[in-house]
Amino acid sequence: MTVVIQTQDADTTAANDPLLSYTLSTTPSPLKASPENPQAPEEIGEIVISVARQSGTPADVEWIRVKVPAGTMAPDLATDLTKISPRISLTGWTVRLDATAKEFVCTPTGSHAPIGPDTGFTIQLSDIPISRKVGTAPITVTERSRTGSAAFQNRPSVFNLGKFPADFYLRNFLCEPSIIPNGGDVLLTWERSANATYELLYGDVNRDVTNRTSLPLEGIKSDTTFYLRATTGDPTNPVIRILSAQVSVIKPDLDIGNLTVHGDTVLNGTLTSNGPVESPTAIGDFNAGISSRYYTAECYGMLFAAGFNNTRVGSGIQFFPTLKANGVEVKTTVDPMDQGSVSLLLRKGERAEILASWRGGTGVPEGLSGGIYWIPLGIG
């Protein structure tokens, strides 16, 4: 069954967005254009519009109109609106054809009726004689509605329904396996007719697969939805059908925007930033004559300490920093020629102790010093 998602008119503003939500489905899927030979019987189709109120506040509705273009051109859906059998499942409502406006008008018994979140219903148009020209027909659903004591407004939604050639088909689009390890491979397969062009779309990829019915893909690292798009008919009014398939990746790579973490974060790999990370901020210094200094993190970030003038001429002394926080002690593990440095990741509010240590020589190397730097990784 074809499912068409609600789309808004280009001129629609937030003030007159529909208060009800609409999902349109067709039988058959997709609709078939009738044979071009006018002597041949017409193809018959059906439209079902599922209607619901998503908000908890009821909406008052005066009427709902469904405009169906009729005629012999590509944008026309039906050849004759009088042959269509309309029906609405909502108790107390009726539906009739306004032939002049080419609309099916649904109205309640009174001047208006409330539609709440528990009042789902359908509008069904059966026995539609489908137009003989391949193309895409716009179906406009307009509600006249309001909430509270506001004025009633006309609120349109537009659905584009394709009428495909009689011998067109696109089906059984599969991704196997559907669950893979990070970096695994998949095989996409589908069935299709030869009278269309086909494209595979995923991520930033748009690949022509017109002459294929399968495609292996290697090294998938994140959850991916694949879209198979078929295009046929007159280029000035083409018809498009899209099928989708998904693959889920165990421990996927992630490429996201902003991230807020309210629990613990464990990093088992290397932390790399490709974005605008703030430069380290000098927040103080320390020297070998002071046993320790303390710093309390104002946000999530990295505390960094580095020794200066590490080797004093003639003394044989090397100067190193050590960081301690929450029972964790981090020391410089190498013997650098010029500088020893160390870093420690801190959460907001954690208090770190910066200690000075040295190796070699005798006495307290009071002339040696180090710097303390803070690299913020968040705002709280």
Side-chain angles (χ1 to χ4, degrees):
M1 177 176 288
T2 296
V3 177
V4 183
I5 303 300
Q6 173 179 317
T7 59
Q8 299 297 330
D9 241 349
D11 296 331
T12 299
T13 62
N16 66 344
D17 281 349
L19 301 180
L20 306 179
S21 63
Y22 302 89
T23 302
L24 189 150
S25 59
T26 71
T27 303
S29 173
L31 294 174
K32 303 288 188 180
S34 296
E36 293 189 7
N37 179 4
Q39 304 304 317
E42 296 160 324
E43 292 284 341
I44 301 300
E46 180 180 76
I47 296 174
V48 176
I49 304 171
S50 300
V51 190
R53 171 69 170 154
Q54 301 292 344
S55 172
T57 304
D60 291 330
V61 181
E62 281 191 354
W63 45 254
I64 299 174
R65 293 174 176 257
V66 182
K67 187 176 183 65
V68 179
T72 60
M73 305 303 291
D76 295 320
L77 180 69
T79 59
D80 187 350
L81 296 183
T82 62
K83 295 182 179 180
I84 298 176
S85 302
R87 179 180 176 271
I88 185 170
S89 67
L90 198 56
T91 302
W93 285 62
T94 59
V95 55
R96 63 176 178 84
L97 171 63
D98 181 344
T100 302
K102 296 183 177 180
E103 292 179 331
F104 292 90
V105 184
C106 305
T107 54
T109 302
S111 61
H112 62 269
I115 304 295
D118 299 326
T119 316
F121 61 97
T122 60
I123 300 170
Q124 186 172 346
L125 303 179
S126 303
D127 304 320
I128 303 172
I130 304 299
S131 173
R132 299 182 185 276
K133 188 77 170 178
V134 172
T136 298
I139 307 299
T140 304
V141 180
T142 304
E143 67 182 59
R144 185 165 177 80
S145 59
R146 73 175 183 185
T147 55
S149 59
F152 282 96
Q153 294 187 57
N154 294 354
R155 306 171 190 274
S157 301
V158 179
F159 302 84
N160 292 310
L161 286 186
K163 301 168 294 172
F164 286 79
D167 55 350
F168 169 84
Y169 64 91
L170 175 61
R171 60 195 179 217
N172 293 335
F173 182 37
L174 302 175
C175 176
E176 296 178 326
S178 59
I179 301 176
I180 60 174
N182 191 310
D185 305 335
V186 298
L187 177 64
L188 302 176
T189 58
W190 58 91
E191 298 176 17
R192 49 84 175 166
S193 58
N195 56 346
T197 60
Y198 298 89
E199 300 166 278
L200 180 67
L201 301 94
Y202 61 98
D204 297 328
V205 177
N206 185 336
R207 183 168 179 174
D208 186 345
V209 291
T210 298
N211 297 319
R212 308 184 67 118
T213 56
S214 65
L215 183 68
L217 295 174
E218 301 177 347
I220 305 298
K221 295 181 176 293
S222 60
D223 295 351
T224 304
T225 300
F226 303 98
Y227 299 94
L228 185 60
R229 181 171 63 191
T231 306
T232 188
D234 189 335
T236 62
N237 186 249
V239 284
I240 297 173
R241 180 167 172 79
I242 299 176
L243 300 183
S244 64
Q246 296 81 33
V247 62
S248 297
V249 176
I250 301 172
K251 296 182 180 179
D253 291 0
L254 297 178
D255 185 3
I256 60 176
N258 297 330
L259 175 65
T260 300
V261 179
H262 295 283
D264 293 341
T265 301
V266 178
L267 301 177
N268 294 323
T270 302
L271 178 63
T272 303
S273 173
N274 295 321
V277 178
E278 295 184 44
S279 300
T281 301
I283 58 174
D285 57 19
F286 63 98
N287 60 62
I290 300 176
S291 59
S292 64
R293 290 198 59 172
Y294 295 91
Y295 178 74
T296 301
E298 297 180 355
C299 67
Y300 198 81
M302 189 78 72
L303 188 64
F304 179 82
F308 295 156
N309 302 320
N310 239 6
T311 303
R312 190 165 59 183
V313 176
S315 68
I317 296 176
Q318 291 180 307
F319 185 50
F320 301 94
T322 299
L323 298 179
K324 295 176 65 176
N326 296 328
V328 177
E329 181 177 83
V330 184
K331 297 182 179 181
T332 304
T333 58
V334 297
D335 291 338
M337 292 297 297
D338 298 318
Q339 178 178 330
S341 62
V342 68
S343 60
L344 185 63
L345 196 64
L346 299 178
R347 297 183 181 89
K348 179 181 178 180
E350 289 186 338
R351 190 167 183 250
E353 182 180 12
I354 304 100
L355 302 106
S357 61
W358 58 91
R359 302 174 191 170
T362 58
V364 178
E366 296 183 1
L368 302 184
S369 63
I372 308 169
Y373 304 88
W374 175 246
I375 305 174
L377 301 177
I379 59 174

